[in-house]
Amino acid sequence: GPTGNTLIQPSTNSINAFSVQNAAGTSHLIGGDTLNARVAIAKPTPPDYTLDVGGDINSTTAIRIGGVEICTIDGCATGDPGNYIQNSTSLQTANFAIQSAANTSVVAIIRGASGQSADLLRLIAGDSGNQVLTVAANGATTFKNDTDSTTAFQIQNAAGTSTLLIADTTNTRIGLGASPATSLLTIGTNTTTAAGGITFGTDVSLYRQAVNVLSLGSDDKLILGTGGLQFSDGTTLTTAPNGVPAGAVNFFNLASCPSGWTELTGARGRYIVGLPLSGTLAGTQGTALSNVENRAVGQHNHSISDPGHGHTLSNKNQSAQPYSFNAGGSTTFADASTASANNSTTGVTVNNAGSVAGTNAPYIQLLVCSKN
């Protein structure tokens, strides 16, 4: 124009409507995108931002964002511009949200300097200023709640309906698969299967089988060391007992003998007595009792000894000496008269003895088994 002003206005907007290049056309000093109102400096067009610089920016005064001075020649300002977090060891008030540029990119990396000794990360409670989480230079991590709680630390499933681990810092307890109970470590709920207990390796289980019962899994074994097994009374078992020897006989209140035992059929309906010297082992005598038989006494005989007696008769017709003879016999007197006496019983009887009727030895029937 007549005043020397220069206006460059293309007839059609374009992303590379204006360009200042070197003589060879191999580098771009300035590029103009009139389609999106953007300018590129030292960068090939089209620019990606309103001002897109392909190098450092140097200001002799200050850099501002939204009219707020951020950095000057003396350094970056403190305060709360609300749209940046500055490199500083002083407390700043700001919020930040980070999203990875791509789903294959790491969202954030915090890396210590060579020889790092200070913590890599600290999370601090707002009110108390206490450190609630620290990650040391070697990666050691410490969780420390600002206030103790029965659920201070938890690991749950995605739905939040199942808790794998609970740390109770109020009572110093840990729960695995259950809320901590009254002890330092609680494992599982009131389950009666091995799935609710502890598995050692891949095949040995220890679990709560029933109320106050701790059990090993099927076919699992427990081997004690030289210290042995100590009981509540203070006694210690260091060697295994011999157990029940083969041939041992025992009574059971069961319908059948337990595993490892066989019924001693010869004992059915019989009392068991000790073996006499040189006696017959497992020998039997007498007729076995039938089911709940009330046998008052075994069959037997009683003998009675009757010495007998005599009868004396007198002859009224003669003064002869009386004669004696046995019952059932007869005699002749001097006057040729005869006399006889009839048989007579003694009247001897055998009375019952004892005051209670029934078997002489009351009994209870139990199953008799012999150890295999």
Side-chain angles (χ1 to χ4, degrees):
T3 60
N5 294 335
T6 302
L7 174 64
I8 301 175
Q9 183 178 11
S11 60
T12 302
N13 288 324
S14 169
I15 59 175
N16 53 3
F18 173 77
S19 178
V20 177
Q21 300 180 353
N22 63 355
T26 56
S27 65
H28 299 263
L29 174 60
I30 300 175
D33 176 359
T34 58
L35 186 63
N36 299 295
R38 297 172 180 174
V39 175
I41 298 176
K43 182 180 179 182
T45 54
D48 297 317
Y49 304 96
T50 302
L51 177 61
D52 200 347
V53 180
D56 295 339
I57 298 176
N58 181 46
S59 173
T60 59
T61 56
I63 297 177
R64 299 173 182 271
I65 297 179
V68 178
E69 186 179 272
I70 297 175
C71 295
T72 67
I73 193 171
D74 297 321
C76 292
T78 59
D80 182 18
N83 51 11
Y84 74 97
I85 299 175
Q86 63 185 9
N87 180 20
S88 173
T89 58
S90 300
L91 181 64
Q92 302 174 62
T93 302
N95 300 317
F96 70 94
I98 301 176
Q99 177 177 313
S100 61
N103 58 10
T104 56
S105 301
V106 178
V107 175
I109 296 176
I110 299 176
R111 179 176 178 176
S114 177
Q116 178 80 22
S117 59
D119 293 337
L120 293 176
L121 178 65
R122 293 178 182 176
L123 300 184
I124 299 176
D127 293 333
S128 66
N130 294 329
Q131 297 179 22
V132 295
L133 183 146
T134 59
V135 180
N138 62 358
T141 303
T142 301
F143 295 88
K144 182 181 177 182
N145 281 31
D146 195 32
T147 303
D148 286 327
S149 168
T150 56
T151 55
F153 181 80
Q154 301 183 65
I155 298 177
Q156 297 183 339
N157 64 352
T161 57
S162 175
T163 302
L164 173 63
L165 182 145
I166 299 178
D168 175 358
T169 58
T170 299
N171 302 293
T172 315
R173 297 168 183 166
I174 294 291
L176 296 178
S179 297
T182 57
S183 57
L184 178 62
L185 178 64
T186 301
I187 299 177
T189 55
N190 291 334
T191 180
T192 56
T193 63
I198 305 174
T199 299
F200 299 88
T202 58
D203 54 357
V204 179
S205 298
L206 182 65
Y207 65 100
R208 176 188 176 278
Q209 186 183 54
V211 176
N212 299 325
V213 177
L214 189 63
S215 176
L216 288 171
S218 177
D219 299 326
D220 292 343
K221 298 178 181 178
L222 177 64
I223 300 177
L224 299 177
T226 56
L229 177 65
Q230 188 175 50
F231 297 91
S232 58
D233 61 357
T235 58
T236 301
L237 181 66
T238 56
T239 57
N242 292 330
V244 181
V249 175
N250 206 351
F251 291 92
F252 292 93
N253 188 16
L254 300 171
S256 60
C257 294
S259 176
W261 296 74
T262 302
E263 183 186 1
L264 184 63
T265 56
R268 291 178 179 174
R270 298 181 183 277
Y271 299 100
I272 297 178
V273 300
L275 178 68
L277 182 64
S278 302
T280 301
L281 182 63
T284 60
Q285 185 58 263
T287 303
L289 294 170
S290 60
N291 184 37
V292 294
E293 178 183 349
N294 186 14
R295 187 181 300 176
V297 67
Q299 187 180 49
H300 62 282
N301 296 319
H302 290 274
S303 60
I304 299 176
S305 176
D306 187 357
H309 60 278
H311 293 268
T312 301
L313 300 176
S314 296
N315 188 341
K316 297 180 179 180
N317 301 322
Q318 227 172 344
S319 60
Q321 184 71 25
Y323 291 87
S324 297
F325 53 93
N326 292 328
S330 62
T331 188
T332 301
F333 292 97
D335 60 357
S337 62
T338 60
S340 62
N342 296 325
N343 290 328
S344 178
T345 60
T346 62
V348 176
T349 60
V350 179
N351 295 326
N352 291 332
S355 58
V356 179
T359 181
N360 292 326
Y363 62 88
I364 182 173
Q365 296 181 152
L366 293 174
L367 180 63
V368 182
C369 302
S370 177
K371 187 71 172 69
N372 296 344

